[in-house]
Amino acid sequence: MKFEVGDKVVVKHSNEDGVVKEIINDKMVLVEVRGVKFPVHSDQLSFPYFKMFTQQLQEKKPPKKYIDDVRKEKKAPKYQVAEGVWLLFFPVFNKDVFDDDVVESLKIYLVNQTSLGLKFHFWLRFKGEIEMELQNEVFALNDFYLMDIEFEQLNDNPSFDFEFSLLSEDKTKAEYFEASYKPKAKQVFKQVENIRLKGEAFFSSQLFEQYPNRQKQPEVEVESPWSLNKLSEAGFKVVNNKRVHGEPPPPTVLDLHIEKLTDNYAQMSAHEKLSLQLSVFEKYLDKAELHYLQHVFVIHGIGKGRLKEEIHELLKHRPSVKNFIQQYHPWYGNGATEIFLKH
């Protein structure tokens, strides 16, 4: 018998504290718990030391934290720039013959300090000629190393051209967005001197602050029946827009990105893609003329410029085209041409 009268014990099945009052036989004892005495098999009792030990551990053990209780801290940006998408330039210094620090090259990073993951198509041009082309992705709150360029190459009129789209489809956002940065050698030299004085590692240029929302297509203004009748009475030939080929007027914006025209573009050669794009463009112009649209936009992208050149050449010889211009547009960047039609 391991227990004696007066021993403090714990009843295992109820985890209650008690005291041994009497030894009944070698297998049973009389225990008192909260003033009540009852017989208990000795193998159903234990000494209180283990209970006391586990209680102490529970007191020292910190309370459990569940996922919802954990404080979610915003990921600290690697580079201290404001919200938006940026180009970062890190000067790489070397010593000249006079032991002075001179900028040898620039390391260039694309930094996405937004909540949206982006796909991008990048072109580096010198004097209008493509030097480098790259397609990749940059995740939200992340950066991507683009390249190094020699500092002397800034004298060759470099242009950093981008076409962005979303990694995850969002119907409220624009399908494509274009941005460019064209640094000047004198301007970059001043920025390098400025960061040297401040003891900073890089200078930056913002490509855009927020990825743009999808724009609603402007509605085509239709002449009232009264004005059409007046023109007809005056001897002019009048065609009602709603009755041309039984079709509504085409949209005022045509997107010629190949993935918008066919699902099988991966199997097509460059020549086949270009032929399809030009065919779609000519049919679109035919409809625009039939419906008397005043002006339209055609999105051809930046790319290597072949599609744009072909479109511009076609427009020069199109009798219905009054004029056309390609300049930066807040919706389409540098990748679209605005066309004005004669009537």
Side-chain angles (χ1 to χ4, degrees), residues 75-83 86-90 107-113 141-145 201-202 204:
K75 183 179 177 181
K78 187 175 179 181
Y79 303 112
Q80 295 298 318
V81 291
E83 184 176 357
W86 298 76
L87 279 179
L88 266 57
F89 298 85
F90 288 79
K107 287 188 175 295
I108 305 171
Y109 287 80
L110 179 67
V111 176
N112 179 12
Q113 197 58 30
L141 304 177
N142 232 305
D143 60 87
F144 185 95
Y145 167 71
F202 64 88
S204 59

Side-chain angles (χ1 to χ4, degrees), residues 113-281:
Q113 197 58 30
T114 74
S115 59
L116 299 172
L118 300 171
K119 291 185 287 187
F120 68 87
H121 197 160
F122 165 64
W123 297 268
L124 171 65
R125 291 181 171 88
F126 290 114
K127 295 182 178 179
E129 297 294 326
I130 294 176
E131 177 73 16
M132 174 184 172
E133 183 176 354
L134 174 67
Q135 294 186 62
N136 218 302
E137 302 170 349
V138 58
F139 297 104
L141 304 177
N142 232 305
D143 60 87
F144 185 95
Y145 167 71
L146 283 175
M147 59 178 297
D148 282 20
I149 66 168
E150 300 297 322
F151 191 72
E152 293 180 353
Q153 290 181 296
L154 293 174
N155 294 315
D156 296 330
N157 300 324
S159 177
F160 300 87
D161 301 322
F162 292 86
E163 183 178 82
F164 293 97
S165 59
L166 297 180
L167 278 176
S168 300
E169 186 178 356
D170 185 343
K171 293 183 179 180
T172 66
K173 298 293 183 181
E175 292 181 82
Y176 296 91
F177 182 70
E178 296 177 354
S180 296
Y181 174 60
K182 298 178 181 179
K184 303 296 182 185
K186 187 175 181 181
Q187 173 192 18
V188 172
F189 182 78
K190 287 182 178 179
Q191 288 174 309
V192 170
E193 288 300 307
N194 190 37
I195 64 173
R196 288 182 65 179
L197 291 173
K198 293 181 178 180
E200 297 174 347
F202 64 88
F203 64 91
S204 59
S205 176
Q206 189 177 52
L207 293 173
F208 62 88
E209 185 175 354
Q210 292 181 337
Y211 192 88
N213 293 325
R214 187 185 295 269
Q215 300 291 332
K216 291 183 179 180
Q217 299 292 349
E219 296 181 0
V220 178
E221 186 176 340
V222 180
E223 295 284 353
S224 69
W226 181 87
S227 59
L228 292 177
N229 290 336
K230 285 288 185 183
L231 289 171
S232 180
E233 292 170 2
F236 292 96
K237 184 179 178 180
V238 177
V239 179
N240 191 328
N241 284 359
K242 294 182 179 179
R243 294 182 181 178
V244 176
H245 296 312
E247 296 178 0
T252 56
V253 179
L254 173 65
D255 190 343
L256 285 179
H257 282 95
I258 191 65
E259 58 268 29
K260 301 297 180 184
L261 307 181
T262 177
D263 294 330
N264 302 318
Y265 61 90
Q267 311 299 326
M268 299 170 67
S269 66
H271 176 73
E272 290 172 332
K273 292 177 183 177
L274 181 61
S275 298
L276 174 60
Q277 289 168 315
L278 291 175
S279 174
V280 170
F281 174 63

Side-chain angles (χ1 to χ4, degrees), residues 56-106:
Q56 290 174 355
L57 285 180
Q58 289 292 336
E59 290 173 0
K60 293 179 180 179
K61 188 176 180 180
K64 288 184 179 180
K65 280 191 174 182
Y66 297 93
I67 292 295
D68 292 342
D69 298 330
V70 177
R71 182 181 178 184
K72 297 177 178 65
E73 295 185 1
K74 185 178 179 181
K75 183 179 177 181
K78 187 175 179 181
Y79 303 112
Q80 295 298 318
V81 291
E83 184 176 357
V85 173
W86 298 76
L87 279 179
L88 266 57
F89 298 85
F90 288 79
V92 178
F93 293 93
N94 206 343
K95 297 288 185 180
D96 62 8
V97 293
F98 302 105
D99 204 35
D100 293 327
D101 287 332
V102 294
V103 181
E104 185 175 67
S105 61
L106 294 170

Side-chain angles (χ1 to χ4, degrees), residues 4-49:
E4 296 181 0
V5 174
D7 285 345
K8 293 181 178 180
V9 293
V10 176
V11 181
K12 291 181 179 179
H13 77 276
S14 63
N15 200 34
E16 292 181 300
D17 296 326
V19 179
V20 176
K21 290 297 183 179
E22 182 181 335
I23 305 299
I24 299 176
N25 54 42
D26 58 349
K27 293 183 179 181
M28 297 190 69
V29 297
L30 188 68
V31 175
E32 181 179 352
V33 176
R34 292 182 297 175
V36 179
K37 297 178 182 179
F38 51 88
V40 181
H41 284 278
S42 56
D43 60 0
Q44 296 298 313
L45 301 174
S46 65
F47 288 105
Y49 312 120

